Amino acid sequence: MNYTPPASLVSGAISIGGTVGRWAFGTAALTSGIGTIATGLGTVISAVAQPIGANIGLGTITGFQYDPSLATSGSIIFRGMTAAAAFSANATVSWTAFGV
């Protein structure tokens, strides 16, 4: 799953260690429990995610691992974690990324 947010989601100025940075946020559906999100940032410095869902059960994604391997291209990879197994369930993720 690859998701590109509208440009209007990339906004705000922040300080990252004294360097002017930006932040981006949004939601995305991860149909296989893993997904790459193009944030609109030049480089991602850090990112966080939370699952969005009405039903919490054994096969429900309850958290995410952040894979920074595409950070220098402005993208983030999230892998959903469940109590039973990783990366297998559908999920909607609410994400926030900070970068330059």
Side-chain angles (χ1 to χ4, degrees):
M1 195 292 310
N2 293 312
Y3 172 77
T4 303
S8 61
L9 290 182
V10 178
S11 62
I14 59 173
S15 174
I16 301 175
T19 300
V20 176
R22 298 183 305 155
W23 57 278
F25 61 93
T27 61
L30 307 182
T31 56
S32 64
I34 185 171
T36 301
I37 299 170
T39 65
L41 301 170
T43 299
V44 175
I45 303 298
S46 67
V48 295
Q50 291 294 323
I52 298 175
N55 299 317
I56 302 297
L58 185 61
T60 304
I61 288 180
T62 56
F64 293 90
Q65 285 183 340
Y66 163 55
D67 178 345
S69 61
L70 297 177
T72 56
S73 67
S75 294
I76 49 181
I77 300 170
F78 285 117
R79 293 180 170 90
M81 304 300 293
T82 70
F87 321 139
S88 60
N90 294 337
T92 299
V93 61
S94 169
W95 60 271
T96 304
F98 302 92
V100 291

Coordinates of all heavy atoms in Angstrom, one line a residue:
M1 N 0.8 -1.2 0.0 CA 0.0 0.0 0.0 C 0.9 1.2 0.0 O 1.7 1.4 0.8 CB -0.9 0.0 1.3 CG -2.0 0.8 1.4 SD -2.0 2.6 1.5 CE -0.9 3.0 2.7
N2 N 0.7 2.1 -0.9 CA 1.4 3.4 -1.0 C 0.4 4.5 -0.9 O -0.6 4.4 -1.6 CB 2.2 3.5 -2.3 CG 3.4 2.5 -2.3 OD1 4.1 2.4 -1.3 ND2 3.5 1.8 -3.4
Y3 N 0.6 5.4 -0.1 CA -0.3 6.5 0.2 C 0.4 7.9 0.1 O 1.4 8.0 0.7 CB -1.0 6.4 1.6 CG -1.8 7.5 2.0 CD1 -3.1 7.7 1.5 CD2 -1.4 8.5 2.8 CE1 -3.9 8.7 1.8 CE2 -2.1 9.6 3.2 CZ -3.4 9.7 2.7 OH -4.2 10.7 3.0
T4 N -0.2 8.8 -0.7 CA 0.4 10.1 -0.8 C -0.7 11.1 -0.3 O -1.8 11.2 -1.0 CB 0.8 10.5 -2.3 OG1 1.7 9.5 -2.7 CG2 1.4 11.8 -2.4
P5 N -0.4 11.8 0.7 CA -1.4 12.8 1.2 C -1.5 14.0 0.4 O -0.6 14.3 -0.3 CB -0.9 13.1 2.6 CG 0.6 13.0 2.5 CD 0.8 11.9 1.5
P6 N -2.7 14.7 0.4 CA -2.8 16.0 -0.3 C -1.7 16.9 0.3 O -1.4 16.9 1.4 CB -4.2 16.5 0.1 CG -4.9 15.3 0.5 CD -3.9 14.3 1.1
A7 N -1.3 17.8 -0.6 CA -0.2 18.8 -0.1 C -0.7 19.6 1.0 O 0.1 20.1 1.8 CB 0.2 19.7 -1.3
S8 N -2.0 19.8 1.2 CA -2.5 20.7 2.3 C -2.2 20.1 3.6 O -2.3 20.8 4.6 CB -4.0 20.9 2.1 OG -4.7 19.7 2.2
L9 N -1.9 18.8 3.7 CA -1.6 18.2 5.0 C -0.2 18.5 5.5 O 0.0 18.3 6.7 CB -1.8 16.6 4.9 CG -3.2 16.1 4.7 CD1 -3.2 14.6 4.7 CD2 -4.1 16.6 5.8
V10 N 0.6 18.9 4.6 CA 2.0 19.3 5.1 C 2.0 20.8 5.4 O 1.8 21.6 4.6 CB 3.0 19.0 3.9 CG1 4.4 19.4 4.3 CG2 3.0 17.6 3.5
S11 N 2.2 21.0 6.7 CA 2.1 22.4 7.2 C 2.9 22.5 8.5 O 3.3 21.6 9.1 CB 0.7 22.8 7.4 OG 0.1 22.0 8.4
G12 N 3.0 23.8 8.9 CA 3.6 24.1 10.2 C 5.1 24.2 10.1 O 5.8 23.5 9.4
A13 N 5.7 25.1 10.9 CA 7.1 25.2 11.1 C 7.5 24.8 12.5 O 6.8 25.2 13.5 CB 7.6 26.6 10.8
I14 N 8.5 24.0 12.7 CA 9.0 23.6 14.0 C 10.5 23.7 14.0 O 11.2 23.9 13.0 CB 8.6 22.1 14.3 CG1 9.1 21.2 13.2 CG2 7.1 22.0 14.4 CD1 8.9 19.7 13.5
S15 N 11.1 23.6 15.2 CA 12.5 23.6 15.3 C 13.0 22.2 15.6 O 12.5 21.6 16.6 CB 12.9 24.5 16.5 OG 14.3 24.4 16.7
I16 N 13.9 21.7 14.8 CA 14.5 20.4 15.0 C 16.0 20.6 15.3 O 16.8 20.8 14.4 CB 14.3 19.4 13.8 CG1 12.8 19.3 13.5 CG2 15.0 18.1 14.0 CD1 12.5 18.5 12.3
G17 N 16.3 20.6 16.6 CA 17.7 20.9 17.0 C 18.2 22.2 16.5 O 19.4 22.3 16.1
G18 N 17.4 23.2 16.4 CA 17.8 24.5 16.0 C 17.6 24.7 14.5 O 17.8 25.8 14.0
T19 N 17.3 23.7 13.7 CA 17.0 23.8 12.3 C 15.5 23.9 12.1 O 14.7 23.1 12.7 CB 17.5 22.5 11.6 OG1 18.9 22.4 11.8 CG2 17.2 22.6 10.1
V20 N 15.1 24.8 11.2 CA 13.7 24.9 10.9 C 13.2 23.7 10.2 O 13.8 23.3 9.2 CB 13.4 26.2 10.1 CG1 11.9 26.3 9.7 CG2 13.8 27.4 10.9
G21 N 12.2 23.1 10.7 CA 11.6 21.9 10.1 C 10.2 22.0 9.8 O 9.6 23.1 10.0
R22 N 9.6 20.9 9.4 CA 8.1 20.9 9.1 C 7.5 19.6 9.7 O 8.3 18.7 10.0 CB 7.9 20.9 7.6 CG 8.4 22.2 6.9 CD 8.1 22.2 5.4 NE 8.6 21.0 4.8 CZ 8.0 20.5 3.6 NH1 7.0 21.1 3.1 NH2 8.5 19.4 3.1
W23 N 6.2 19.6 9.7 CA 5.6 18.4 10.1 C 4.4 18.1 9.2 O 3.9 18.9 8.5 CB 5.1 18.5 11.6 CG 4.1 19.6 11.9 CD1 4.5 20.9 12.1 CD2 2.7 19.6 11.9 NE1 3.4 21.7 12.3 CE2 2.3 20.9 12.2 CE3 1.8 18.6 11.8 CZ2 0.9 21.2 12.3 CZ3 0.4 18.9 11.9 CH2 0.0 20.2 12.2
A24 N 4.0 16.8 9.1 CA 3.0 16.4 8.3 C 2.2 15.3 9.0 O 2.7 14.7 9.9 CB 3.5 15.8 7.0
F25 N 0.9 15.2 8.7 CA 0.1 14.2 9.4 C -1.0 13.7 8.5 O -1.3 14.3 7.4 CB -0.5 14.8 10.7 CG -1.4 16.0 10.4 CD1 -2.8 15.8 10.3 CD2 -0.9 17.2 10.3 CE1 -3.6 16.9 10.0 CE2 -1.7 18.3 10.1 CZ -3.0 18.2 9.9
G26 N -1.7 12.6 8.8 CA -2.8 12.1 8.1 C -3.2 10.8 8.5 O -2.8 10.3 9.6
T27 N -4.1 10.1 7.7 CA -4.5 8.8 8.0 C -4.3 8.0 6.7 O -4.3 8.5 5.6 CB -6.0 8.7 8.4 OG1 -6.8 9.2 7.4 CG2 -6.2 9.5 9.7
A28 N -4.2 6.7 6.9 CA -4.0 5.8 5.7 C -4.5 4.4 6.1 O -4.4 4.0 7.2 CB -2.6 5.7 5.3
A29 N -5.1 3.7 5.1 CA -5.5 2.3 5.3 C -4.4 1.4 4.9 O -3.8 1.5 3.8 CB -6.7 2.0 4.4
L30 N -4.0 0.5 5.8 CA -3.0 -0.5 5.6 C -3.7 -1.8 5.4 O -4.0 -2.5 6.3 CB -2.0 -0.5 6.7 CG -1.4 0.8 7.2 CD1 -0.4 0.5 8.3 CD2 -0.7 1.5 6.0
T31 N -3.9 -2.2 4.1 CA -4.7 -3.4 3.8 C -4.0 -4.7 4.2 O -4.7 -5.7 4.4 CB -5.2 -3.4 2.3 OG1 -4.0 -3.3 1.5 CG2 -6.1 -2.2 2.0
S32 N -2.7 -4.7 4.2 CA -2.0 -5.9 4.6 C -1.3 -5.8 5.9 O -0.4 -6.6 6.2 CB -1.1 -6.3 3.4 OG -0.1 -5.3 3.3
G33 N -1.5 -4.7 6.6 CA -0.8 -4.5 7.8 C 0.5 -3.8 7.7 O 1.2 -3.5 8.7
I34 N 0.9 -3.4 6.5 CA 2.1 -2.7 6.2 C 1.9 -1.7 5.1 O 1.1 -2.0 4.2 CB 3.3 -3.7 5.9 CG1 4.6 -3.0 5.7 CG2 3.0 -4.5 4.6 CD1 5.8 -3.9 5.6
G35 N 2.5 -0.6 5.2 CA 2.4 0.4 4.1 C 3.4 1.5 4.1 O 4.1 1.7 5.1
T36 N 3.6 2.0 2.9 CA 4.6 3.1 2.7 C 3.8 4.4 2.5 O 2.9 4.4 1.7 CB 5.5 2.8 1.5 OG1 6.2 1.6 1.7 CG2 6.5 4.0 1.3
I37 N 4.1 5.4 3.2 CA 3.4 6.7 3.2 C 4.4 7.8 2.7 O 5.4 8.0 3.3 CB 2.8 7.1 4.5 CG1 1.8 6.0 5.0 CG2 2.2 8.4 4.5 CD1 1.4 6.1 6.4
A38 N 4.1 8.4 1.6 CA 4.8 9.6 1.1 C 4.3 10.8 1.9 O 3.2 11.2 1.7 CB 4.7 9.8 -0.4
T39 N 5.2 11.4 2.7 CA 4.7 12.4 3.6 C 4.7 13.8 3.0 O 4.1 14.7 3.6 CB 5.6 12.5 4.9 OG1 7.0 12.9 4.4 CG2 5.7 11.2 5.6
G40 N 5.4 14.0 1.9 CA 5.6 15.4 1.4 C 6.8 16.1 2.0 O 7.1 17.2 1.5
L41 N 7.4 15.6 2.9 CA 8.6 16.1 3.5 C 9.8 15.7 2.7 O 9.8 14.7 2.1 CB 8.8 15.7 5.0 CG 7.7 16.0 5.9 CD1 7.9 15.2 7.3 CD2 7.6 17.5 6.2
G42 N 10.9 16.5 2.7 CA 12.1 16.2 2.0 C 12.8 15.0 2.7 O 13.2 14.0 2.0
T43 N 13.0 15.0 4.0 CA 13.6 14.0 4.8 C 12.8 13.9 6.1 O 12.5 14.9 6.7 CB 15.0 14.3 5.2 OG1 15.8 14.4 4.0 CG2 15.7 13.2 6.0
V44 N 12.4 12.6 6.5 CA 11.7 12.4 7.7 C 12.7 12.2 8.8 O 13.6 11.4 8.7 CB 10.8 11.2 7.6 CG1 10.1 10.8 8.9 CG2 9.7 11.4 6.5
I45 N 12.6 12.9 9.9 CA 13.5 12.8 11.1 C 12.9 11.8 12.1 O 13.6 11.0 12.6 CB 13.7 14.2 11.8 CG1 14.3 15.2 10.8 CG2 14.6 14.0 13.0 CD1 15.6 14.8 10.2
S46 N 11.6 11.9 12.3 CA 10.9 10.9 13.2 C 9.4 10.8 12.8 O 8.9 11.7 12.1 CB 11.0 11.4 14.7 OG 10.3 12.6 14.9
A47 N 8.8 9.7 13.2 CA 7.4 9.5 12.9 C 6.8 8.7 13.9 O 7.4 7.8 14.6 CB 7.3 8.8 11.5
V48 N 5.5 8.9 14.1 CA 4.7 8.1 15.1 C 3.4 7.7 14.5 O 2.9 8.4 13.5 CB 4.5 8.8 16.4 CG1 5.8 9.1 17.2 CG2 3.8 10.2 16.2
A49 N 2.8 6.6 15.0 CA 1.5 6.2 14.4 C 0.6 5.6 15.5 O 1.2 5.0 16.5 CB 1.7 5.2 13.3
Q50 N -0.7 5.7 15.4 CA -1.6 5.0 16.2 C -2.7 4.4 15.4 O -3.1 4.9 14.4 CB -2.3 6.1 17.2 CG -1.4 6.7 18.2 CD -0.9 5.6 19.2 OE1 -1.7 4.7 19.6 NE2 0.3 5.7 19.6
P51 N -3.2 3.2 15.8 CA -4.3 2.6 15.1 C -5.6 3.3 15.3 O -5.8 3.8 16.4 CB -4.3 1.2 15.6 CG -3.7 1.3 17.0 CD -2.7 2.4 16.9
I52 N -6.4 3.3 14.3 CA -7.8 3.8 14.4 C -8.7 2.6 14.2 O -8.6 2.0 13.1 CB -8.1 4.9 13.4 CG1 -7.2 6.1 13.6 CG2 -9.5 5.3 13.5 CD1 -7.3 7.2 12.6
G53 N -9.5 2.3 15.1 CA -10.5 1.2 14.9 C -11.5 1.1 16.0 O -11.2 1.5 17.2
A54 N -12.7 0.6 15.7 CA -13.8 0.5 16.6 C -13.7 -0.7 17.4 O -14.1 -0.8 18.6 CB -15.1 0.6 15.9
N55 N -13.2 -1.8 16.9 CA -13.2 -3.1 17.5 C -11.7 -3.5 17.8 O -10.9 -3.6 16.9 CB -13.8 -4.2 16.7 CG -15.3 -3.9 16.4 OD1 -16.0 -3.5 17.3 ND2 -15.7 -4.0 15.1
I56 N -11.4 -3.8 19.1 CA -10.1 -4.2 19.5 C -10.2 -5.7 19.9 O -11.0 -6.1 20.7 CB -9.6 -3.4 20.7 CG1 -9.5 -1.9 20.3 CG2 -8.2 -4.0 21.1 CD1 -8.6 -1.6 19.2
G57 N -9.5 -6.6 19.2 CA -9.6 -8.0 19.4 C -8.2 -8.6 19.2 O -7.2 -7.9 18.9
L58 N -8.1 -9.9 19.3 CA -6.8 -10.6 19.2 C -6.1 -10.3 17.9 O -4.9 -10.2 17.8 CB -7.0 -12.1 19.4 CG -5.7 -12.9 19.5 CD1 -4.8 -12.5 20.6 CD2 -6.0 -14.4 19.6
G59 N -6.8 -10.2 16.8 CA -6.2 -10.0 15.5 C -6.2 -8.6 15.0 O -5.8 -8.3 13.9
T60 N -6.5 -7.7 15.9 CA -6.5 -6.2 15.6 C -5.1 -5.6 15.8 O -4.5 -5.9 16.8 CB -7.5 -5.5 16.5 OG1 -8.8 -6.1 16.3 CG2 -7.6 -4.0 16.2
I61 N -4.7 -4.8 14.9 CA -3.5 -4.1 15.1 C -3.6 -3.1 16.3 O -4.5 -2.3 16.3 CB -3.1 -3.3 13.8 CG1 -2.6 -4.4 12.8 CG2 -2.0 -2.3 14.0 CD1 -2.2 -3.8 11.4
T62 N -2.6 -3.2 17.2 CA -2.7 -2.3 18.4 C -1.5 -1.4 18.4 O -1.4 -0.5 19.3 CB -2.7 -3.2 19.6 OG1 -1.6 -4.1 19.6 CG2 -4.0 -4.0 19.7
G63 N -0.5 -1.5 17.5 CA 0.6 -0.6 17.5 C 1.4 -0.8 16.2 O 1.0 -1.6 15.4
F64 N 2.4 0.1 16.0 CA 3.1 0.1 14.7 C 4.6 0.2 15.0 O 5.1 0.8 15.9 CB 2.7 1.3 13.9 CG 1.3 1.2 13.4 CD1 0.3 1.7 14.1 CD2 1.0 0.5 12.2 CE1 -1.1 1.6 13.7 CE2 -0.4 0.4 11.8 CZ -1.4 1.0 12.5
Q65 N 5.3 -0.5 14.1 CA 6.8 -0.3 14.0 C 7.1 0.7 12.9 O 6.4 0.6 11.9 CB 7.5 -1.6 13.7 CG 7.6 -2.6 14.8 CD 8.4 -3.8 14.3 OE1 8.5 -4.1 13.1 NE2 8.9 -4.6 15.3
Y66 N 8.0 1.6 13.1 CA 8.4 2.6 12.1 C 9.7 2.1 11.5 O 10.7 1.9 12.2 CB 8.5 3.9 12.8 CG 9.3 4.9 12.0 CD1 9.0 5.2 10.7 CD2 10.4 5.6 12.5 CE1 9.7 6.2 9.9 CE2 11.1 6.5 11.8 CZ 10.7 6.8 10.5 OH 11.4 7.7 9.8
D67 N 9.7 1.9 10.2 CA 10.9 1.5 9.5 C 11.4 2.8 8.8 O 10.8 3.3 7.9 CB 10.5 0.5 8.4 CG 11.7 0.0 7.6 OD1 12.8 0.7 7.6 OD2 11.6 -1.0 6.9
P68 N 12.6 3.3 9.2 CA 13.1 4.5 8.6 C 13.9 4.4 7.3 O 14.6 5.3 6.9 CB 14.0 5.0 9.8 CG 14.6 3.8 10.4 CD 13.4 2.8 10.3
S69 N 13.9 3.2 6.7 CA 14.7 3.0 5.5 C 14.5 3.9 4.4 O 15.3 4.1 3.5 CB 14.7 1.5 5.1 OG 13.3 1.2 4.7
L70 N 13.3 4.5 4.3 CA 13.0 5.5 3.2 C 12.9 6.9 3.7 O 12.4 7.8 3.0 CB 11.6 5.1 2.5 CG 11.6 3.7 1.8 CD1 10.2 3.5 1.3 CD2 12.6 3.7 0.7
A71 N 13.4 7.2 4.9 CA 13.3 8.5 5.5 C 14.0 9.6 4.7 O 13.4 10.7 4.6 CB 13.9 8.5 6.9
T72 N 15.1 9.3 4.0 CA 15.8 10.3 3.2 C 15.0 10.7 2.0 O 15.3 11.7 1.4 CB 17.2 9.9 2.9 OG1 17.2 8.7 2.2 CG2 18.1 9.7 4.2
S73 N 14.1 9.9 1.6 CA 13.2 10.2 0.4 C 11.9 10.8 0.8 O 11.0 11.1 0.0 CB 13.0 9.0 -0.5 OG 12.2 8.0 0.2
G74 N 11.7 11.1 2.1 CA 10.5 11.7 2.6 C 9.3 10.7 2.9 O 8.2 11.2 3.1
S75 N 9.6 9.4 2.8 CA 8.6 8.4 3.0 C 8.8 7.7 4.3 O 9.9 7.7 4.9 CB 8.5 7.4 1.9 OG 8.2 8.1 0.7
I76 N 7.7 7.1 4.8 CA 7.8 6.3 6.1 C 7.1 5.0 5.8 O 6.2 4.9 5.0 CB 7.1 7.0 7.3 CG1 5.7 7.5 6.9 CG2 8.0 8.1 7.8 CD1 5.0 8.3 8.0
I77 N 7.6 3.9 6.4 CA 7.0 2.6 6.4 C 6.5 2.3 7.8 O 7.3 2.4 8.7 CB 8.0 1.6 5.9 CG1 8.5 1.9 4.5 CG2 7.4 0.2 5.9 CD1 9.7 1.0 4.1
F78 N 5.3 1.9 7.9 CA 4.7 1.4 9.1 C 4.3 -0.1 9.0 O 3.8 -0.5 8.0 CB 3.5 2.2 9.6 CG 3.8 3.6 10.1 CD1 3.4 4.7 9.4 CD2 4.6 3.7 11.2 CE1 3.7 5.9 9.9 CE2 4.9 5.0 11.7 CZ 4.4 6.1 11.1
R79 N 4.7 -0.8 10.0 CA 4.3 -2.3 10.1 C 3.4 -2.4 11.3 O 3.8 -2.1 12.4 CB 5.5 -3.1 10.2 CG 6.4 -3.1 9.0 CD 7.6 -4.0 9.1 NE 8.3 -4.2 7.9 CZ 9.3 -3.4 7.4 NH1 9.7 -2.4 8.2 NH2 9.8 -3.6 6.3
G80 N 2.2 -2.9 11.1 CA 1.2 -3.1 12.2 C 1.6 -4.3 13.0 O 2.0 -5.3 12.6
M81 N 1.4 -4.1 14.3 CA 1.7 -5.2 15.3 C 0.3 -5.6 16.0 O -0.4 -4.8 16.4 CB 2.6 -4.7 16.4 CG 3.9 -4.1 15.8 SD 4.9 -5.3 14.8 CE 5.3 -6.5 16.1
T82 N 0.1 -6.9 16.1 CA -1.0 -7.4 16.8 C -0.5 -8.3 17.9 O 0.6 -8.7 18.0 CB -1.9 -8.3 15.9 OG1 -1.2 -9.5 15.5 CG2 -2.2 -7.6 14.6
A83 N -1.5 -8.7 18.8 CA -1.1 -9.6 19.9 C -0.8 -11.0 19.3 O 0.0 -11.7 19.9 CB -2.3 -9.7 20.9
A84 N -1.4 -11.4 18.2 CA -1.3 -12.8 17.7 C -0.1 -12.9 16.7 O 0.7 -13.8 16.8 CB -2.5 -13.2 17.0
A85 N 0.0 -11.9 15.8 CA 1.0 -12.0 14.7 C 1.3 -10.6 14.2 O 0.4 -9.7 14.3 CB 0.6 -12.9 13.6
A86 N 2.4 -10.4 13.6 CA 2.7 -9.0 13.1 C 2.4 -9.0 11.6 O 2.5 -10.0 10.9 CB 4.2 -8.7 13.3
F87 N 2.1 -7.8 11.1 CA 2.0 -7.4 9.7 C 0.9 -8.1 8.9 O 1.0 -8.2 7.7 CB 3.3 -7.7 9.0 CG 4.5 -7.3 9.7 CD1 5.7 -8.1 9.7 CD2 4.6 -6.2 10.5 CE1 6.8 -7.8 10.4 CE2 5.8 -5.8 11.2 CZ 6.8 -6.7 11.1
S88 N -0.1 -8.7 9.6 CA -1.1 -9.5 8.8 C -2.5 -8.9 8.8 O -3.3 -9.3 7.9 CB -1.1 -10.9 9.4 OG -1.5 -10.8 10.8
A89 N -2.8 -8.0 9.6 CA -4.2 -7.5 9.7 C -4.4 -6.2 9.0 O -3.5 -5.4 8.8 CB -4.6 -7.4 11.2
N90 N -5.6 -6.0 8.6 CA -6.0 -4.7 8.1 C -6.0 -3.6 9.2 O -6.3 -4.0 10.3 CB -7.4 -4.7 7.4 CG -7.4 -5.6 6.2 OD1 -6.4 -5.8 5.6 ND2 -8.6 -6.1 5.9
A91 N -5.7 -2.4 8.9 CA -5.7 -1.3 9.9 C -5.8 0.0 9.2 O -5.4 0.2 8.1 CB -4.4 -1.4 10.7
T92 N -6.3 1.0 9.9 CA -6.2 2.4 9.5 C -5.3 3.0 10.5 O -5.4 2.9 11.7 CB -7.6 3.1 9.6 OG1 -8.5 2.4 8.7 CG2 -7.5 4.5 9.2
V93 N -4.3 3.7 10.0 CA -3.3 4.3 10.8 C -3.4 5.9 10.8 O -3.7 6.4 9.8 CB -1.9 3.9 10.3 CG1 -1.6 4.4 8.9 CG2 -0.8 4.5 11.2
S94 N -3.3 6.5 12.0 CA -3.2 7.9 12.1 C -1.7 8.2 12.3 O -1.1 7.7 13.3 CB -4.0 8.4 13.3 OG -3.8 9.7 13.6
W95 N -1.1 9.0 11.5 CA 0.3 9.1 11.5 C 0.7 10.6 11.6 O 0.0 11.5 11.2 CB 1.0 8.5 10.3 CG 0.6 9.1 9.0 CD1 -0.5 8.6 8.3 CD2 1.1 10.2 8.3 NE1 -0.6 9.4 7.1 CE2 0.4 10.3 7.1 CE3 2.2 11.0 8.6 CZ2 0.7 11.3 6.2 CZ3 2.5 12.0 7.6 CH2 1.7 12.2 6.5
T96 N 1.9 10.9 12.2 CA 2.5 12.2 12.2 C 4.0 12.0 12.0 O 4.6 11.1 12.5 CB 2.3 12.8 13.6 OG1 0.9 12.9 14.0 CG2 2.9 14.2 13.6
A97 N 4.5 12.9 11.1 CA 5.9 12.8 10.8 C 6.6 14.2 10.9 O 5.9 15.2 10.7 CB 6.1 12.3 9.3
F98 N 7.8 14.2 11.4 CA 8.5 15.5 11.5 C 9.8 15.4 10.7 O 10.4 14.3 10.6 CB 8.9 15.7 13.0 CG 7.8 15.7 13.9 CD1 7.3 14.5 14.5 CD2 7.1 16.9 14.2 CE1 6.2 14.5 15.3 CE2 6.0 16.9 15.0 CZ 5.5 15.7 15.6
G99 N 10.1 16.5 10.0 CA 11.3 16.4 9.1 C 11.6 17.8 8.6 O 11.2 18.8 9.1
V100 N 12.4 17.8 7.5 CA 12.9 19.0 6.9 C 12.6 18.9 5.4 O 12.3 17.9 4.9 CB 14.4 19.2 7.1 CG1 14.7 19.5 8.6 CG2 15.2 18.0 6.7

